[in-house]
Amino acid sequence: MAGPWRARRRGVPLRPILVGVDGSAPGDAALRWAAHEASLRGVGLRVVHVFAGAPLVDDIGRNLDWEEAHHTVEDAHRRAEKISSELHVRSQVVLGGPAETLIRQSVEAGLVVLGKRGRGGFRDLLAGSVALQVAGHAAGPVVLVHSGWRPPIDDREIVVGAGREAALRAAFAEADLRGARLRALHAWRPIMPAGPSGLTPMTLAELEQNEEKTLTRTLIPWRERHPGVRVVESVVCDSSRHALTEASRTAELLVVGAREHFGGYTLALGTTAYAVIHHVTCPVLIAREPGRHRVAEPEESGAVSGSACSDGW
């Protein structure tokens, strides 16, 4: 176990990790990831199953749905304890709406972990589910885990979209904690000038050099705070969502930043984060600046600003 001293030194929050479980394969993968992460950080693990809907009562008055909910969370509790004997696990069944409940409880968590797909309260992410709502509106960082996740064995690399400070803060801390290599990726696309001339190869080369210098300058303070992290600077002329998706194929973790405003979950996440969540298979950490995001109801809306030359991370 890394222990709280090591986690604190590397800038990782020491509050417990909150994981939502529902008995599905993605929920089980989220539980395993969360237990490993809690053990690595030296923090507690809170296992929550949100019970929504009307209970089903049999002929002798037993609440079958409620019993199944408790069985689900008790089984998850036992399996989490098997991952690490030193891990302090608390579990509970909560009555309410899944998204609203997890968003509310995120205030007291250092990290929220969910499966990308689920059943019942954690239904199909691609249709726009609880996981997306929580990722867009939680008070702190959220990790979404694919059902096929397994602990990495070697060549460990974390990929981060270098366009947001919150993403860099979280990525450097996670790489430092794991002893993993960090690939800081900056994707850019040139704005074609008006007229028939367009951009020459020399102009493109100069623009790329400028982008590389920008990335290097951006990373200086983070390298100084985490001198032990091995960093690979990667600048590509591509859309950010495609570049991140490709870079994440062999990654242990992908880190992207959320927007610091409120709206439907697509807007709150940002277009790039929203896109990569659907297409990558490694765990995705959606980071936001601590203390700069109030807990919002998923249905709130807000305006969006954007850049003409790149997607938001």
Side-chain angles (χ1 to χ4, degrees):
M1 179 181 287
W5 178 84
R6 182 182 176 192
R8 182 182 293 111
R9 183 182 178 188
R10 284 155 175 76
V12 176
L14 294 180
R15 288 177 294 173
I17 291 176
L18 173 67
V19 58
V21 298
D22 63 353
S24 68
D28 291 345
L31 175 69
R32 295 194 306 272
W33 193 95
H36 280 280
E37 182 75 5
S39 179
L40 188 65
R41 295 186 181 196
V43 300
L45 179 67
R46 292 185 58 201
V47 180
V48 173
H49 177 82
V50 182
F51 182 83
L56 176 65
V57 179
D58 67 6
D59 293 339
I60 60 175
R62 291 180 303 177
N63 188 329
L64 301 182
D65 288 343
W66 189 251
E67 289 184 5
E68 182 182 1
H70 277 276
H71 174 75
T72 296
V73 81
E74 289 166 3
D75 180 64
H77 186 122
R78 287 191 297 269
R79 286 188 289 114
E81 288 183 326
K82 289 181 179 179
I83 291 175
S84 172
S85 59
E86 300 179 30
L87 187 61
H88 177 63
V89 183
R90 292 177 53 200
S91 59
Q92 64 179 148
V93 177
V94 181
L95 183 63
E100 293 80 2
T101 299
L102 293 169
I103 290 168
R104 195 162 52 245
Q105 293 201 4
S106 71
V107 175
E108 300 176 355
L111 181 68
V112 178
V113 184
L114 296 173
K116 280 194 180 183
R117 291 173 179 257
R119 69 183 189 188
F122 299 94
R123 196 178 300 273
D124 192 359
L125 175 67
L126 295 178
S129 73
V130 170
L132 279 175
Q133 294 180 49
V134 175
H137 297 285
V142 176
V143 172
L144 303 182
V145 184
H146 189 272
S147 60
W149 179 81
R150 295 292 182 273
I153 299 174
D154 52 17
D155 193 29
R156 307 176 72 174
E157 181 175 88
I158 293 174
V159 175
V160 59
R164 294 189 186 275
E165 184 173 322
L168 289 170
R169 184 188 309 277
F172 268 88
E174 292 292 340
D176 203 346
L177 190 64
R178 288 169 165 76
R181 181 175 63 252
L182 178 62
R183 181 173 299 276
L185 190 148
H186 171 60
W188 67 286
R189 292 178 297 181
I191 301 176
M192 297 296 290
S197 59
L199 293 173
T200 66
M202 180 61 71
T203 306
L204 282 172
E206 292 172 351
L207 288 173
E208 186 167 13
Q209 288 179 359
N210 289 335
E211 299 295 335
E212 291 171 350
K213 291 177 182 177
T214 298
L215 177 59
T216 297
R217 287 195 300 269
T218 299
L219 296 178
I220 287 174
W222 304 105
R223 285 179 179 270
E224 292 175 347
R225 295 177 197 179
H226 300 272
V229 173
R230 297 167 293 157
V231 182
V232 177
E233 297 183 20
S234 183
V235 176
V236 294
C237 186
D238 197 355
S239 70
S240 53
R241 66 194 72 180
H242 182 261
L244 286 170
T245 300
E246 290 298 309
S248 70
R249 293 190 185 279
T250 57
E252 173 182 349
L253 180 69
L254 171 63
V255 184
V256 293
R259 293 183 184 274
E260 296 302 328
H261 67 80
F262 314 104
Y265 48 72
T266 308
L267 305 181
L269 286 171
T271 56
T272 297
Y274 180 81
V276 299
I277 285 171
H278 292 79
H279 294 101
V280 305
T281 56
C282 71
V284 181
L285 190 158
I286 300 97
R288 52 176 45 90
E289 282 299 314
R292 293 173 58 181
H293 186 88
R294 67 177 175 85
V295 175
E297 293 301 323
E299 63 270 15
E300 289 186 18
S301 61
V304 181
S305 59
S307 170
C309 61
S310 66
D311 299 321
W313 295 106

